[in-house]
Amino acid sequence: MPTPDPLPSTPILSALYIYPIKSAGGVPLQQSGIGPRGLTHDRRWMVIDAAGKPVTQREFSKMRLIEPALAEDGLRVTAPGMPALKVPWQPQGTRRAVDMWGDPLSSVTVSVEATEWISTCLGGDFDLVYLPDDAERWQPADKPFGSLLSFVDGNPFHLIGEASLADFNRQLTRPVGHAEFRPNLVISGGEAYAEDFWRRVVIGPVGSDGVAFEVVESCARCVILNVLPDGTRGAETLRTLARVRRHGQAAVFGQHLVQDAPYDQRMGQLRVGDAVQVKVLAETVNPVYP
């Protein structure tokens, strides 16, 4: 991998996304609050199978076509050939245990209508569940970052760089957009892959204290990267990434972050256009945890 200048000249937060339903479509925002688990509403809902295990685009690429939108009273969820589904902010269904990558976790079913909707949409026995505030899920013990998590795979924030995406797209016959990489934070300014060396950043308006983040690991990409915008699968994107961005056994792109504050004090506000100050750099690229 190339070694860029890790200090971009005028970095800003150029885009901001949340993914209310794990592995479904993203919602672009101009601003978002931060809570103990990350950006407000990010991955607080999840589709599970009959065994209570997460259902993602790894198994069902059609999930790419499920599009949540934020409404005043909750989510409005749409998909091709399906009526719109209303999902309240605080579902009051029954408790249901989920198997989150081998760890038990308590969730709440959304509604009978949501169960029928998602089962019809994906063609099987599925349910839509919500992660209530009293459900505790922490980063694994081998990750010393101490973050309370939503239904994310392993970290509360994911960042990519616009320059990195532009450089990678030059390797492809079919360019890809932000959506393929599913970031929360998109940064513009500076050289491609400069973020590989960032260890601590502060994001906020110029002159403010901003929100401090620790950059904890590079993101090892999976087959979801090959899901195309129409919900079908290709092969070029992950194959190319494995060729040009190999780090050990992983194909890497983007960085995972945690807020640099005690977990019960993790809060703040991010806005598109916020300045990104790089406070700590590493001499080597960030690690990839198994």
Side-chain angles (χ1 to χ4, degrees):
M1 296 188 295
T3 302
D5 177 357
L7 284 173
S9 54
T10 54
I12 64 167
L13 181 64
S14 57
L16 186 62
Y17 295 91
I18 61 171
Y19 306 85
I21 301 174
K22 181 179 178 66
S23 221
V27 178
L29 300 173
Q30 287 299 303
Q31 63 181 32
S32 176
I34 299 174
R37 301 177 195 265
L39 295 178
T40 304
H41 305 310
D42 189 42
R43 295 172 175 94
R44 291 300 294 266
W45 291 263
M46 182 171 69
V47 179
I48 59 173
D49 62 17
K53 295 183 177 181
V55 175
T56 73
Q57 291 183 38
R58 297 178 182 95
E59 307 85 24
F60 290 87
S61 58
K62 186 179 179 181
M63 288 191 69
R64 174 70 181 270
L65 303 179
I66 298 175
E67 295 288 348
L70 307 186
E72 185 174 340
D73 54 352
L75 300 179
R76 183 178 184 273
V77 187
T78 58
M82 297 292 297
L85 173 70
K86 292 183 178 179
V87 175
W89 290 129
Q90 297 287 338
Q92 301 297 314
T94 59
R95 289 277 175 163
R96 179 165 180 180
V98 300
D99 178 355
M100 197 69 192
W101 315 135
D103 294 323
L105 183 64
S106 178
S107 71
V108 175
T109 59
V110 170
S111 65
V112 172
E113 293 77 14
T115 300
E116 294 175 350
W117 192 95
I118 197 65
S119 296
T120 300
C121 182
L122 297 181
D125 185 5
F126 302 104
D127 208 350
L128 184 64
V129 297
Y130 173 76
L131 187 66
D133 289 340
D134 61 5
E136 293 193 6
R137 179 186 174 227
W138 297 89
Q139 282 179 315
D142 63 339
K143 293 186 177 182
F145 314 129
S147 282
L148 185 65
L149 301 177
S150 62
F151 285 132
V152 294
D153 279 356
N155 293 279
F157 299 92
H158 174 44
L159 173 151
I160 68 170
E162 293 269 16
S164 306
L165 182 60
D167 180 81
F168 180 58
N169 272 329
R170 285 191 280 271
Q171 317 293 324
L172 300 174
T173 59
R174 185 193 71 86
V176 297
H178 298 162
E180 274 82 353
F181 289 97
R182 304 179 65 77
N184 296 115
L185 314 175
V186 183
I187 306 300
S188 69
E191 294 187 31
Y193 312 114
E195 62 274 8
D196 288 352
F197 297 85
W198 299 352
R199 289 296 175 86
R200 188 172 188 272
V201 298
V202 174
I203 304 176
V206 174
S208 72
D209 291 337
V211 181
F213 296 91
E214 183 176 0
V215 185
V216 295
E217 62 179 316
S218 295
C219 182
R221 314 310 305 207
C222 70
V223 295
I224 289 179
L225 193 58
N226 283 336
V227 177
L228 303 176
D230 63 0
T232 62
R233 290 188 191 276
E236 180 191 16
T237 309
L238 187 57
R239 182 177 61 230
T240 303
L241 189 69
R243 174 172 57 83
V244 302
R245 290 283 296 166
R246 182 163 293 280
H247 186 359
Q249 298 300 309
V252 301
F253 192 97
Q255 304 299 318
H256 287 300
L257 290 72
V258 299
Q259 191 175 353
D260 188 6
Y263 80 91
D264 57 348
Q265 298 176 29
R266 290 178 178 173
M267 61 187 69
Q269 191 85 9
L270 296 178
R271 295 175 179 83
V272 171
D274 280 349
V276 180
Q277 303 174 61
V278 181
K279 297 294 188 180
V280 177
L281 291 167
E283 294 183 357
T284 58
V285 296
N286 294 319
V288 180
Y289 287 83

